[in-house]
Amino acid sequence: MSDKHVILNVNVLDLGISPVAWQLSGLPKDAVVCGDYFAEIGRIAERGTLDAFFLADNPALRENPRLRPGRALEPTTILATVAAATTHLGLIGTLSTTFNDPVELAERLLSLDHISAGRAAWNAVTTYNLAAGGNFGLAAIPDRGARYRRADEFIDVVVALWQAAADGTAVNHRGAHFQVDGRLPLGPSPQGYPLVVQAGGSPQGRALAGRTANAVFSAELSLSAGLEHYEQVKRTATEFGRSRDDIAILPGLITIIGSTNAEAEARYALARELQEPGHELSRLGAVLAHDLGQYDLDDPFPPHVLEDLDDPDAFSASLGFRESVVRGVADRVAATGGRYTLREALLEFGNGGHRRVIGSPEEVADTIEEWFRAGAADGFNLMPDGFPSGLEIFVDEVVPILRRRGLFRHEYTETTLRERFGIGPVHARAVVPAHT
């Protein structure tokens, strides 16, 4: 990866990562179905010379719409809108290998890469949401092993189609899940073809990332955990014959920023007052696979909740998030001699499995610099508590600090996302003539 600057993407989750983001934003809930909203977020990110605009996806109604406006627009539609509103900003869209067709997806993303002049990337995920399965006629979601076996072949087919577009050849694939004969009606994009991003934290997900991904969206809460994960994925990449520089490690970073630490703490306190009662308890319980409502909030955190799962494959949610939170809570329990309470855990871990910084612009910059210089991250996927203010304060107050420290660009110099991430170019392979 580039040693010139930290990679900084903005992860645009509805109106923000906070459960009361719509109240922090001052925008109507239906802003998330308006292209102008996403275009403006893209323009703010580009003003700060951020690397890319990152979109999640979940092809089902995800949350109670009375409480949170689950995003209803399809990712590549949003990214095409952002592409038209920006000139340099990368465009990373999440699309599932469980519910899509590889040929259609390959054409859709390569089309986005063409119209954006080489700024696109695909975040390949395996979906575990049962509601999404129902939308596609499934009574049950395939287990983790089955999802990743399909994902392995799916990514291979997509990349083969993209490479064939660069080569001017056809694909002839026969696999357990797909049979493909032919080629896309497109040639190579200005960067050859889109980058591949991976966000799985399970052993299968990390292996898939090491083999195929150009970037990994990880969930690590401590510097020590970040260092371990960084080395693990880089080492896996080399085991597949790749260079360590072929893959960027980008942890999620939740930011709650104020001009001062006190202002940031007040912003966080207000958000906790506004959220639905019991939200943190149910959210943390879902991550840990335990009903936490049976415990007294002021008793020591129940240690058995942190034990290994009897059958990890039966756990349908994210193993990466669970591993991250289990380690984080266990560290706190150990540091306090077992006096760490469930109430304290809810305050610290009740709203997600990503690292969170509540503080001034200097404190946010300090965290980014510490992880980058220590070798725990090549950059971050930023997750502001609420848009647009959470992103604006990062762009206006954190970015200048990073620039003064020599950690971030002052202007865009690369033309494609592949160049910006320091990934090598796509080369057309020589076509060997058939013997006659």
Side-chain angles (χ1 to χ4, degrees):
M1 293 300 99
S2 171
D3 59 359
K4 296 180 180 178
H5 64 78
V6 176
I7 295 172
L8 294 175
N9 305 324
V10 57
N11 189 15
V12 185
L13 292 164
D14 300 330
L15 294 169
I17 189 66
S18 169
V20 295
W22 70 272
Q23 291 162 283
L24 296 175
S25 73
L27 298 172
K29 289 183 180 180
D30 63 1
V32 296
V33 294
C34 297
D36 287 346
Y37 165 71
F38 293 103
E40 180 58 20
I41 296 300
R43 285 189 286 265
I44 295 169
E46 189 161 89
R47 175 162 58 82
T49 63
L50 300 192
D51 288 270
F53 183 110
F54 195 118
L55 278 178
D57 185 37
N58 199 352
L61 185 61
R62 185 172 63 202
E63 310 213 25
N64 185 337
R66 292 185 295 105
L67 305 177
R68 185 177 175 92
R71 181 176 52 73
L73 296 179
E74 186 274 331
T76 51
T77 305
I78 295 173
L79 293 177
T81 300
V82 176
T86 58
T87 304
H88 304 284
L89 190 67
L91 310 160
I92 305 174
T94 301
L95 294 167
S96 174
T97 60
T98 305
F99 301 122
N100 282 288
D101 174 84
V103 178
E104 186 279 331
L105 184 145
E107 181 181 4
R108 191 176 358 148
L109 287 170
L110 188 55
S111 297
L112 176 65
D113 210 25
H114 273 276
I115 67 170
S116 66
R119 295 188 275 146
W122 168 37
N123 181 37
V125 299
T126 70
T127 304
Y128 53 76
N129 184 343
L130 182 58
N135 280 352
F136 289 86
L138 299 181
I141 294 291
D143 64 36
R144 183 173 283 102
R147 294 200 313 271
Y148 273 100
R149 286 190 294 273
R150 176 184 167 94
D152 268 302
E153 187 179 344
F154 192 113
I155 294 173
D156 286 346
V157 171
V158 169
V159 174
L161 286 163
W162 287 342
Q163 183 65 55
D167 299 341
T169 60
V171 168
N172 303 107
H173 174 86
R174 294 290 180 274
H177 300 90
F178 308 106
Q179 290 78 47
V180 178
D181 291 289
R183 57 179 295 180
L184 300 177
L186 289 167
S189 71
Q191 67 172 348
Y193 53 76
L195 301 182
V196 176
V197 182
Q198 216 280 326
S202 65
Q204 298 97 323
R206 289 173 179 173
L208 181 63
R211 186 176 72 84
T212 67
N214 303 119
V216 175
F217 185 0
S218 64
E220 305 300 338
L221 295 170
S222 68
L223 181 62
S224 59
L227 286 165
E228 288 180 17
H229 176 264
Y230 188 97
E231 285 302 317
Q232 180 182 14
V233 176
K234 297 276 187 174
R235 183 172 59 251
T236 301
T238 63
E239 290 170 356
F240 282 104
R242 306 174 68 203
S243 165
R244 288 170 62 92
D245 290 339
D246 285 342
I247 186 167
I249 310 302
L250 307 172
L253 184 65
I254 298 172
T255 57
I256 303 168
I257 311 172
S259 295
T260 64
N261 182 273
E263 186 177 301
E265 291 285 356
R267 181 178 173 105
Y268 180 54
L270 174 61
R272 293 192 81 222
E273 290 175 11
L274 293 173
Q275 70 187 12
E276 284 287 302
H279 167 82
E280 293 170 338
L281 197 66
S282 61
R283 177 73 182 271
L284 184 59
V287 170
L288 294 174
H290 278 275
D291 176 12
L292 299 178
Q294 59 187 301
Y295 305 109
D296 190 297
L297 294 181
D298 294 310
D299 281 348
F301 194 93
H304 67 277
V305 171
L306 305 179
E307 294 175 356
D308 291 341
L309 297 171
D310 292 336
D311 181 7
D313 287 336
F315 179 55
S316 60
S318 169
L319 281 175
F321 276 157
R322 186 179 191 277
E323 177 184 306
S324 175
V325 172
V326 164
R327 179 168 180 163
V329 174
D331 286 348
R332 298 295 185 272
V333 170
T336 60
R339 296 187 299 276
Y340 190 69
T341 66
L342 177 56
R343 188 184 301 277
E344 290 172 309
L346 293 179
L347 178 64
E348 193 168 4
F349 302 103
N351 272 312
H354 292 288
R355 182 172 178 79
R356 183 182 65 200
V357 180
I358 306 170
S360 67
E362 289 79 10
E363 288 173 290
V364 175
D366 288 345
T367 291
I368 291 171
E369 180 174 16
E370 180 185 29
W371 281 54
F372 181 68
R373 294 201 187 282
D378 295 301
F380 290 90
N381 286 313
L382 304 172
M383 308 169 76
D385 56 346
F387 292 105
S389 61
L391 179 59
E392 287 175 320
I393 193 169
F394 186 93
V395 164
D396 293 337
E397 300 194 33
V398 179
V399 166
I401 296 170
L402 296 174
R403 287 171 174 166
R404 289 196 296 270
R405 297 180 184 182
L407 293 168
F408 202 57
R409 68 172 68 82
H410 288 263
E411 60 184 12
Y412 293 106
T413 56
E414 307 87 358
T415 59
T416 70
L417 188 61
R418 184 175 293 273
E419 292 170 325
R420 192 171 306 146
F421 274 29
I423 305 296
V426 171
H427 296 289
R429 297 171 299 190
V431 177
V432 179
H435 294 288
T436 58

